[in-house]
Amino acid sequence: MNVRPLKIGIACYPLIGGSGILATALGMALAQRGHEVHFFSYERPVRLDLAQPRLHFHEVVVNRYDLFKYPDYTLPLAVRMAEVARTAALDILHVHYAVPHATAAWLAVQLLRGNGSVETVPRIVTTLHGTDTTLLGQDPGYRSAIEHALVHSDLVTTVSESLRRQTHATFPLLAQAGRKIAVVPNFFTPAEPTQSRAKTRRDLGVTDDEFLIVHTSNLRPVKRIDLLLETVAAARAQTRARLRLLVLAGGAFAPYAARAKALGLHGDQVIVRENVLAVDDYLHAADVGIYPSENESFGLSILETMFHGRPVLAFRVGGIPEVVPEPATLPAFGDVPALAAQLDELAASPALAARLGARNREHAQRHFSAERIVPRYEAIYEART
Ligand code: GMT
């Protein structure tokens, strides 16, 4: 390691979801590079392997009181971060997803300053992941609190240039206060598949000559599962290949079942697996990934699919053009016929699918590997503002 070992606190959501997955991967990579890393969350992040050296997890316990209709998480999180910052002498508090982590980090630093128990307080780095700006940043109940926490962070990062622009537009005080935003893209390290592609396909009941489409997300409205189903249905009507859709769902698929049926996607044409923690076997077994989101600050699932050497179909929205190698080929948002035509072309030509998949993998490895991105966070931790 070229930089001095640091003591870094990371606060994130523990669940399946881009921001928590990225934060966990970052913390584990930092620990491997010699830093001491302390995670804060209400549960152990799903991909956090505490068997590795230099990794710690501090559970934030939220007690229930009859007095409160809504339990509060921000204060116990701030108190826990302040305690650990003091006892472990943390250099950095790196919070992922502004709400409520950035406000809690600011409060933790105020607590440390207030009781005079430390000589230096940790520096706060806030990484915005998307909906903390694009959704909650528009909510009058949150906006000014997020803006305050960002202005009082030592550094704010976004996962794409697109999100950086949106953040400046949403929180004008940042620029007025002379605060810069650094863009640090997401990264991913694919796991080796635990079994062969043929075995995973057999387990799914997918034959060799079928074209397997994968979609992995939390299925929230922004992911536009309606457009995913419409694209597959439209392509099915025009292609000679037999298409199957695999949905790796971090949320309930049931609300979309009727729409799938209405579009003629019956029974085994749509395979759903809920709460899958290890996506690698499935991405390895798939032939293409489709992600028709209406907005996406980055699209970590797209990157995961690219790392597995598969072509990706998506619309030209948010940060997606910054992730894929040929952004000009992305159709405008909502152009389902164009997406279906691209799907048809890939399903008809395994050679084309293989070529685009290989190009994706090469692009992902070149621009979005841990080796390339993690040192950029290290440089940010060391930079003086
Ligand atoms: O919408 C999600 O998939 C979850 C959300 C999150 O905060 O975990 O994802 C956001 O952060 C990811 C990691 O940086 C990005 O890859 C996603 O594009 C972003 N989601 C949106 O912008 C809608």
Side-chain angles (χ1 to χ4, degrees):
M1 190 178 63
N2 296 326
V3 290
R4 70 187 169 104
L6 295 168
K7 295 179 175 180
I8 302 160
I10 291 185
C12 66
Y13 285 107
L15 310 170
I16 307 172
S19 62
I21 285 172
L22 192 279
T24 308
L26 175 63
M28 295 205 302
L30 289 166
Q32 275 166 12
R33 291 167 69 86
H35 303 287
E36 182 178 309
V37 181
H38 296 257
F39 279 90
F40 299 89
S41 201
Y42 50 86
E43 275 167 22
R44 184 178 62 82
V46 287
R47 292 193 188 173
L48 178 61
D49 176 9
L50 287 169
Q52 284 186 33
R54 295 180 290 278
L55 281 175
H56 307 267
F57 170 59
H58 306 279
E59 184 184 348
V60 179
V61 177
V62 178
N63 292 322
R64 306 268 159 167
Y65 294 96
D66 292 343
L67 192 63
F68 298 147
K69 184 170 173 192
Y70 304 106
D72 169 62
Y73 177 59
T74 311
L75 291 178
L77 173 61
V79 168
R80 196 84 177 102
M81 286 203 280
E83 273 169 14
V84 176
R86 185 172 53 77
T87 53
L90 295 184
D91 300 294
I92 303 289
L93 281 173
H94 187 174
V95 297
H96 289 261
Y97 205 91
V99 182
H101 305 119
T103 299
W106 176 78
L107 262 171
V109 166
Q110 303 318 302
L111 293 172
L112 289 167
R113 284 205 174 111
N115 64 24
S117 58
V118 291
E119 270 174 32
T120 52
V121 294
R123 298 174 69 236
I124 301 174
V125 176
T126 298
T127 291
L128 295 170
H129 281 271
T131 46
D132 38 8
T133 292
T134 56
L135 186 67
L136 298 177
Q138 315 302 320
D139 182 337
Y142 283 99
R143 213 196 66 79
S144 62
I146 301 173
E147 188 167 48
H148 170 273
L150 298 183
V151 167
H152 289 86
S153 295
D154 293 278
L155 204 105
V156 174
T157 80
T158 58
V159 296
S160 62
E161 185 59 42
S162 155
L163 184 59
R164 189 184 72 82
R165 280 195 300 273
Q166 275 180 295
T167 303
H168 271 312
T170 307
F171 306 110
L173 279 187
L174 264 176
Q176 282 170 34
R179 312 312 300 258
K180 292 204 168 65
I181 298 175
V183 176
V184 184
N186 287 331
F187 66 93
F188 180 66
T189 308
E192 279 301 313
T194 61
Q195 59 184 25
S196 71
R197 172 179 160 88
K199 168 88 167 67
T200 305
R201 287 175 79 101
R202 253 197 327 274
D203 291 350
L204 290 167
V206 174
T207 59
D208 282 351
D209 59 340
E210 288 177 318
F211 195 74
L212 182 60
I213 302 155
V214 70
H215 172 86
T216 162
S217 80
N218 52 31
L219 306 195
R220 293 203 184 110
V222 71
K223 305 295 174 185
R224 299 306 299 256
I225 303 305
D226 53 339
L227 301 185
L228 170 70
L229 298 172
E230 284 172 29
T231 302
V232 176
R236 266 190 74 234
Q238 64 199 41
T239 186
R240 270 179 292 134
R242 285 171 53 198
L243 304 181
R244 302 283 298 275
L245 171 63
L246 169 63
V247 180
L248 302 176
F253 184 76
Y256 302 104
R259 182 73 185 129
K261 206 169 165 198
L263 286 164
L265 299 171
H266 294 287
D268 69 347
Q269 279 156 5
V270 182
I271 309 164
V272 180
R273 294 284 181 273
E274 289 185 354
N275 297 316
V276 175
L277 294 185
V279 294
D280 297 86
D281 283 350
Y282 294 110
L283 295 176
H284 186 61
D287 295 300
V288 66
I290 306 192
Y291 301 97
S293 298
E294 66 184 35
N295 193 13
E296 205 66 65
S297 65
F298 183 91
L300 195 56
S301 302
I302 291 176
L303 184 63
E304 293 180 347
T305 309
M306 286 168 58
F307 261 108
H308 279 278
R310 303 292 173 252
V312 161
L313 301 181
F315 292 125
R316 199 185 319 127
V317 296
I320 294 177
E322 298 171 50
V323 179
V324 300
E326 278 189 38
T329 62
L330 298 169
F333 174 70
D335 192 345
V336 168
L339 214 57
Q342 291 182 345
L343 175 55
D344 179 29
E345 210 184 337
L346 288 169
S349 170
L352 177 67
R355 187 163 55 75
L356 297 187
R359 190 197 53 183
N360 275 352
R361 179 189 282 130
E362 193 267 330
H363 186 81
Q365 284 168 344
R366 181 179 311 178
H367 298 282
F368 305 112
S369 67
E371 294 71 29
R372 179 164 281 267
I373 303 300
V374 176
R376 290 173 65 172
Y377 279 118
E378 287 177 321
I380 280 170
Y381 299 153
E382 288 286 11
R384 293 282 138 221
T385 43

